[in-house]
Amino acid sequence: MLLLASGWLLTLNVRQGQQHPRLLILTSGLWFGAIAIACMQVPFTISPGVLLDARNAVLFVAGLFAGPVSGGLALLLSGAFRLWLGGEGAVPGIFNMVMALAFGLAMRYALNRGWVRLELWHLLPVVMLLHLMTLSLVFLTVSPEQHHPLLPLLWPFLLVMIPLTLVLVFILNDAEQRRREQRALRESEARLRAITGALPDLMFVIDGDGRYLEVMASDANLLSASADCIIGKNVRDLFPPVQAACFLAFIARTLRQKRVNTLNYEVETRCGRRIFESLAQPLDGRFDGKPAVVILSRDISARVKSETELRIAAVAFESFQGMLVTDEYNRILRVNKAFTEITGYTPEDVVGKTPKVFSSGKHGYEFYRQMWQCIETQGHWQGEIHNRRKSGELYPQWLSISAVKDQGGRVSHYVAAINDMTERKRDAEKINHLAFYDALTGLPNRRLLLERIKQAQAVSARGGKLGAVIFIDLDHFKGINDLWGHQVGDQLLQQAAQRLNQVVCETDCVARLGGDEFVILLGELSDEPAAARLEHIAHKLMEVLEQPYVHEAHVLRGSACLGLVTLDDHSPSADELLQQAELAMYEAKSAGKGKWRFFDPVMQEVISQRLLLEEEIIRGMDAGEFCVYFQPQFNARREMTGAEALVRWRHPSRGVLTPGAFIEVADAAGLMHRIDRIVLLRACEQMACWTRLPAFHDFTVSVNISPAQLYQSGFIDEVLNVLGQTGAAPSRLKFELTESMLINDMPKAIERMRILKQYGIRFAIDDFGTGYSSLHYLQQLPLDQLKIDQSFVRALPGDDNSLSIIRAITAMAGSLKLEVIAEGVETEDQLAMLQANGCGLYQGYLFARPGPAEEIEAMIPLKETEPGA
């Protein structure tokens, strides 16, 4: 029992002391010595001083398992105790103890050499020999008288001590083996952790339900949380639902197939979003009754990025741009498909060669020296270069060369990108031609002409020689275009361009500005007077342009008007010079067809005055300077029945201006619609004011309508809005129209007049008899009055033709039940003759001149007003 208990204490000592090997040697010696002493406390006493106990078994085991140091310490302690006990058996007892330790050390040495093994058949002879020798030594120590009582103890001693020694050996061997296994396990675990820590992978042990059992990470930043926080959680707690379901299916597939499976997934970590590649291997055994897998996850974010960049680079290399890669010695390694399409060379033609095979010979040594110097200093070069295709054709290309350096900073490769510039050059030429030349005739256009005028002015400034600009406008071109079509017109323009080029010198410039307008720039006139030279050239131009143009079986004749201006070092800008020539041309055209004129500064002054007047009109309208005067209209009893509204301009410096001073300019500038609107608004405002006066109860106001007003899309709405805004009665408003207005679009005029007639507005034909009116249309017009033109009235009483026309007008008006009013009545004789021929309404200086509303009101005696009026 003591030996078995000591075996448990020794295994406990080994288990506790395995972390401290040196201390274990000491404690093992002390324990073995203490057990040997304990055995000597309960011996078989053979005779006084002669003891038979189990200390030899303890020291044998100490030598076998603890080694010489621990065994020696145990021997020292137990031997000292035996000497202290004394007796005649002390010295033989110590010898027995030394012999037991020696047996254990010898057995230990044999085990280490591999001569024996700790097996029963190897240990049993040694243990039996040990105990037999112990008994033999005791037998020799005692006296012969004591041999007889010793014999009965021999067999019981051997039957007990031999098994107990073997049991103790096996107990300690088991403890030692367990210690070695634990140490090996710790070492294996340490190696595994070291290996795992050295790997850039994450290791997870996850059961079949997705619960994390173990987490190992060389870089904790690759985890979504710390390892301790992850252990025990489920996959569903760390991944989004869709991704968690995919991960659980991955685990289930690995367990089902019993083989390695892979999965790529993306997850948010402490260092950002990362992509992992996972390998899963099923584990043997179960954890908490569930199967599990070990998963190694490697961060492949950099690899995926590199692969993506490689794919992009591969696609970029096979782009529409020609690519060429060479080594550091400029030997071609690779070309793409676009390179073959551009140059005609296949990879088999150029790989291994240098780019000299493309050389065109157009660039010298200095060009290439500067190119390579730029590449060496800056790492790249780009520019235009001419190379040769495989077919031998020379072509321009845009070349970009970049040097690729290794980690040491040395050039390892060169990458060249080429673009064929052939089409671009052609397109640039086409664009340049379109930008500076006329598409129809091929002549320079306005832009190029202005540039050449500037150049000619610079030459004139340096050399003092005169040049000239001739502005040409073809006569009758619009009629030819309308009659024969644009195709014939284009042919005529082309022929005219050819004729003009035949007249001038090669140093002169013929340009087309557009339409039927041409300009000739004469660079230098001869030494003869400039005016005479220009007249001579003008005559020649007129001659060639008046020659007939043949179209199919028809002969077309034309002419032109020319504007001439000289060019010297004091000439204005190119634009102003061209404008002066154009003004001279318009002056020639105003004199008739086939004329030419020199530019006169007076022309410029007239244009300037027109522009200035146009600006003044706009300013005057904005400032409210335009007003309405009224010229009264009378009946045969000389009673005022109405008035005609006439526009006046109260100019701040020129006084009150009549329409003759500004109407022509306003009409040409497109300002008449604004003036018409002012007249209509002011007339209706005044008419509304007169409505409140009893003396003006039946008074009507006539307003002249311009063609721009009548055919304007919103004319009717505008008239109704003005009437509604001012409160004027429509029945007192009379619109006066000229016959020429109605000829433009009679059906539309009739339609609009009838609509306004429904609101009570009246209509009169102004200047009747001077134009052409279809009696059929005249019958359909919703007219109320015919106004005899003043040219017929002024001819009275001496002109019988005018009198006949007046009689015809009054007779026709009577048959159509229309009023007749005569304007321009200035004498009593005219009035008497008009009355005698049926005209009952009159307007003219005989009765009153146009004046403001206040003067008109003063001409009528005021009647008694009604209460509240």
Side-chain angles (χ1 to χ4, degrees):
M1 293 300 295
L2 181 61
L3 286 176
L4 292 178
S6 65
W8 175 79
L9 290 173
L10 289 172
T11 57
L12 179 64
N13 175 66
V14 170
R15 191 162 56 250
Q16 295 296 328
Q18 60 184 353
Q19 300 297 331
H20 307 284
R22 294 183 179 179
L23 182 62
L24 180 62
I25 294 173
L26 178 62
T27 57
S28 297
L30 293 174
W31 274 111
F32 277 110
I35 295 170
I37 292 173
C39 290
M40 285 186 284
Q41 293 293 323
V42 285
F44 293 101
T45 304
I46 304 301
S47 64
V50 180
L51 305 175
L52 185 60
D53 52 49
R55 62 179 179 270
N56 287 353
V58 174
L59 292 175
F60 171 76
V61 174
L64 177 60
F65 288 102
V69 176
S70 297
L73 181 59
L75 177 62
L76 182 63
L77 291 174
S78 59
F81 183 77
R82 182 66 186 91
L83 289 175
W84 178 76
L85 289 176
E88 58 177 328
V91 174
I94 291 175
F95 182 78
N96 261 334
M97 294 165 62
V98 172
M99 179 189 64
L101 180 61
F103 265 79
L105 292 175
M107 189 66 182
R108 179 184 179 91
Y109 181 78
L111 285 172
N112 292 336
R113 289 288 182 175
W115 296 341
V116 294
R117 293 190 299 273
L118 282 180
E119 295 179 354
L120 178 62
W121 306 113
H122 288 186
L123 285 172
L124 182 59
V126 177
V127 173
M128 290 178 63
L129 180 61
L130 170 65
H131 289 293
L132 287 173
M133 291 184 67
T134 300
L135 290 176
S136 298
L137 187 58
V138 172
F139 193 80
L140 293 174
T141 302
V142 299
S143 63
E145 293 82 11
Q146 295 175 334
H147 288 172
H148 183 71
L150 180 60
L151 290 176
L153 296 176
L154 294 179
W155 291 110
F157 179 79
L158 291 174
L159 290 175
V160 172
M161 293 308 299
I162 291 174
L164 286 177
T165 303
L166 292 174
V167 170
L168 182 60
V169 169
F170 286 124
I171 289 174
L172 293 180
N173 180 54
D174 181 69
E176 179 66 19
Q177 187 173 357
R178 185 180 303 174
R179 184 178 68 85
R180 287 196 300 268
E181 289 175 352
Q182 290 178 349
R183 183 172 61 188
L185 182 61
R186 287 195 302 272
E187 292 175 354
S188 176
E189 184 178 357
R191 285 195 300 272
L192 180 60
R193 291 187 178 277
I195 293 171
T196 306
L199 292 175
D201 298 336
L202 306 176
M203 190 187 78
F204 306 101
V205 178
I206 307 177
D207 63 18
D209 292 336
R211 184 169 58 89
Y212 286 87
L213 304 177
E214 188 172 352
V215 177
M216 296 180 66
S218 58
D219 184 0
N221 289 326
L222 294 178
L223 297 172
S224 58
S226 63
D228 295 336
C229 294
I230 294 176
I231 294 175
K233 287 189 176 182
N234 196 283
V235 170
R236 298 183 184 88
D237 302 329
L238 303 176
F239 291 95
V242 176
Q243 201 170 12
C246 181
F247 211 83
L248 290 171
F250 169 59
I251 295 172
R253 184 171 64 255
T254 302
L255 294 172
R256 184 178 65 254
Q257 296 177 354
K258 300 296 184 181
R259 61 181 178 85
V260 176
N261 279 279
T262 61
L263 174 69
N264 292 351
Y265 64 94
E266 190 173 356
V267 69
E268 192 71 33
T269 67
R270 294 180 180 178
C271 55
R273 198 145 190 93
R274 296 285 179 161
I275 301 174
F276 290 92
E277 180 184 58
S278 296
L279 297 175
Q281 169 72 42
L283 290 177
D284 295 333
R286 289 177 174 267
F287 294 83
D288 294 334
K290 298 176 183 178
V293 296
V294 59
I295 298 177
L296 292 178
S297 295
R298 174 164 296 182
D299 181 8
I300 60 171
S301 303
R303 189 183 80 189
V304 170
K305 182 180 179 181
S306 299
E307 290 174 352
T308 302
E309 291 176 351
L310 286 175
R311 287 195 301 271
I312 294 173
V315 172
F317 187 78
E318 291 298 338
S319 65
F320 293 105
Q321 189 179 42
M323 300 295 293
L324 174 74
V325 181
T326 71
D327 61 12
E328 58 183 316
Y329 303 108
N330 218 18
R331 290 190 296 264
I332 298 174
L333 302 176
R334 185 180 177 187
V335 297
N336 67 353
K337 184 178 179 181
F339 173 87
T340 301
E341 294 175 352
I342 293 173
T343 66
Y345 288 97
T346 63
E348 293 77 11
D349 295 331
V350 296
V351 170
K353 300 178 181 179
T354 65
K356 290 182 179 179
V357 297
F358 318 130
S359 178
S360 64
K362 295 189 66 174
H363 306 284
Y365 168 79
E366 184 62 23
F367 173 84
Y368 290 107
R369 188 190 67 79
Q370 293 179 0
M371 180 181 75
W372 283 106
Q373 182 179 4
C374 180
I375 295 173
E376 291 174 1
T377 55
Q378 300 181 15
H380 60 86
W381 178 89
Q382 64 176 351
E384 184 177 342
I385 189 172
H386 284 78
N387 274 335
R388 189 182 302 274
R389 304 187 203 270
K390 187 177 181 180
S391 61
E393 174 193 359
L394 297 182
Y395 71 102
Q397 68 174 211
W398 186 262
L399 175 64
S400 300
I401 302 177
S402 300
V404 180
K405 297 183 179 181
D406 58 18
Q407 295 180 349
R410 294 177 62 255
V411 175
S412 60
H413 297 83
Y414 295 100
V415 177
I418 63 174
N419 289 286
D420 188 354
M421 298 181 62
T422 305
E423 290 298 326
R424 188 182 302 176
K425 290 277 189 180
R426 292 174 183 168
D427 292 341
E429 292 175 0
K430 292 179 182 178
I431 293 172
N432 181 72
H433 192 274
L434 291 174
F436 293 100
Y437 291 87
D438 176 52
L440 177 63
T441 62
L443 297 177
N445 60 11
R446 177 184 288 271
R447 181 183 297 179
L448 183 55
L449 174 65
L450 292 175
E451 290 296 324
R452 293 191 177 179
I453 291 176
K454 294 176 183 177
Q455 295 172 6
Q457 288 177 319
V459 172
S460 178
R462 291 194 301 268
K465 294 185 178 181
L466 292 177
V469 174
I470 303 175
F471 199 105
I472 304 170
D473 183 88
L474 302 181
D475 298 329
H476 311 296
F477 179 74
K478 185 178 183 305
I480 294 173
N481 229 5
D482 294 341
L483 181 61
W484 299 99
H486 292 283
Q487 183 177 1
V488 176
D490 291 345
Q491 293 177 2
L492 189 146
L493 292 174
Q494 291 170 345
Q495 293 182 36
Q498 294 173 0
R499 294 178 184 184
L500 294 175
N501 273 320
Q502 293 171 0
V503 174
V504 300
C505 302
E506 293 183 358
T507 56
D508 300 330
C509 173
V510 180
R512 179 181 176 229
L513 301 188
D516 58 347
E517 296 178 340
F518 295 87
V519 173
I520 295 178
L521 171 64
L522 302 177
E524 293 183 10
L525 298 175
S526 61
D527 295 334
E528 59 184 299
R533 175 61 178 164
L534 272 178
E535 287 184 8
H536 176 70
I537 294 175
H539 281 298
K540 291 180 63 176
L541 292 172
M542 298 288 281
E543 289 177 2
V544 298
L545 293 176
E546 288 176 356
Q547 293 175 5
Y549 300 90
V550 179
H551 170 64
E552 296 178 354
H554 303 280
V555 176
L556 307 178
R557 296 188 179 274
S559 60
C561 290
L562 281 62
L564 295 80
V565 61
T566 57
L567 181 152
D568 55 23
D569 56 346
H570 300 296
S571 298
S573 66
D575 287 311
E576 293 174 339
L577 194 69
L578 201 59
Q579 185 180 17
Q580 291 176 357
E582 186 176 11
L583 289 175
M585 183 274 296
Y586 280 120
E587 185 68 20
K589 189 172 284 291
S590 64
K593 307 295 182 182
K595 305 293 183 181
W596 55 270
R597 291 288 185 272
F598 277 97
F599 171 74
D600 190 336
V602 175
M603 303 176 187
Q604 188 74 38
E605 181 64 23
V606 171
I607 297 298
S608 299
Q609 290 297 330
R610 289 179 64 90
L611 294 176
L612 180 61
L613 181 57
E614 181 181 326
E615 294 177 1
E616 281 286 294
I617 292 173
I618 296 174
R619 183 202 59 77
M621 287 189 294
D622 294 338
E625 296 174 0
F626 284 83
C627 63
V628 174
Y629 274 27
F630 296 92
Q631 186 173 24
Q633 297 173 343
F634 296 86
N635 58 19
R637 297 187 299 275
R638 299 207 176 200
E639 297 174 343
M640 190 183 302
T641 60
E644 180 182 1
L646 301 172
V647 65
R648 293 294 185 267
W649 182 8
R650 289 195 179 101
H651 197 279
S653 60
R654 297 170 61 186
V656 178
L657 301 179
T658 60
F662 58 84
I663 283 295
E664 182 182 353
V665 175
D667 190 25
L671 300 174
M672 280 306 301
H673 66 285
R674 292 185 60 182
I675 295 177
D676 292 336
R677 192 177 296 117
I678 292 173
V679 172
L680 178 61
L681 179 62
R682 298 289 178 261
C684 290
E685 287 176 345
Q686 187 59 51
M687 188 168 57
C689 292
W690 282 338
T691 303
R692 293 191 290 269
L693 300 175
F696 290 86
H697 181 70
D698 297 324
F699 201 82
T700 62
V701 175
S702 300
V703 177
N704 290 285
I705 299 178
S706 67
Q709 273 183 299
L710 180 63
Y711 296 109
Q712 188 177 0
S713 59
F715 173 63
I716 295 176
D717 293 335
E718 181 181 346
V719 172
L720 297 178
N721 288 336
V722 170
L723 291 172
Q725 177 183 346
T726 60
S731 60
R732 298 189 180 186
L733 177 64
K734 184 192 302 179
F735 284 142
E736 293 188 1
L737 303 89
T738 61
E739 292 179 273
S740 59
M741 288 174 55
L742 302 175
I743 294 173
N744 293 336
D745 192 347
M746 184 69 77
K748 182 179 288 188
I750 294 174
E751 177 189 358
R752 295 193 172 188
M753 291 170 65
R754 286 179 174 174
I755 294 174
L756 292 174
K757 187 74 172 178
Q758 294 174 359
Y759 290 92
I761 298 174
R762 305 173 69 190
F763 290 92
I765 296 293
D766 191 16
D767 300 334
F768 190 79
T770 60
Y772 169 77
S773 295
S774 169
L775 296 179
H776 172 68
Y777 280 124
L778 195 61
Q779 187 179 11
Q780 297 181 40
L781 290 171
L783 296 174
D784 298 279
Q785 190 179 75
L786 297 180
K787 196 169 191 179
I788 300 174
D789 186 66
Q790 60 184 346
S791 62
F792 302 122
V793 176
R794 288 174 182 172
L796 297 178
D799 190 349
D800 293 337
N801 291 330
S802 297
L803 181 59
S804 298
I805 293 173
I806 292 173
R807 288 173 178 172
I809 293 174
T810 56
M812 182 176 61
S815 63
L816 295 175
K817 299 180 180 180
L818 301 176
E819 295 179 352
V820 178
I821 183 172
E823 63 178 345
V825 180
E826 298 180 355
T827 66
E828 290 291 343
D829 293 338
Q830 292 172 351
L831 175 63
M833 189 166 287
L834 288 170
Q835 288 176 341
N837 287 280
C839 181
L841 296 173
Y842 319 99
Q843 174 182 339
Y845 287 175
L846 176 64
F847 301 96
R849 290 177 176 272
E854 295 80 4
E855 294 182 5
I856 305 302
E857 293 174 5
M859 295 174 65
I860 300 180
L862 296 179
K863 301 178 181 179
E864 291 295 333
T865 59
E866 298 177 359

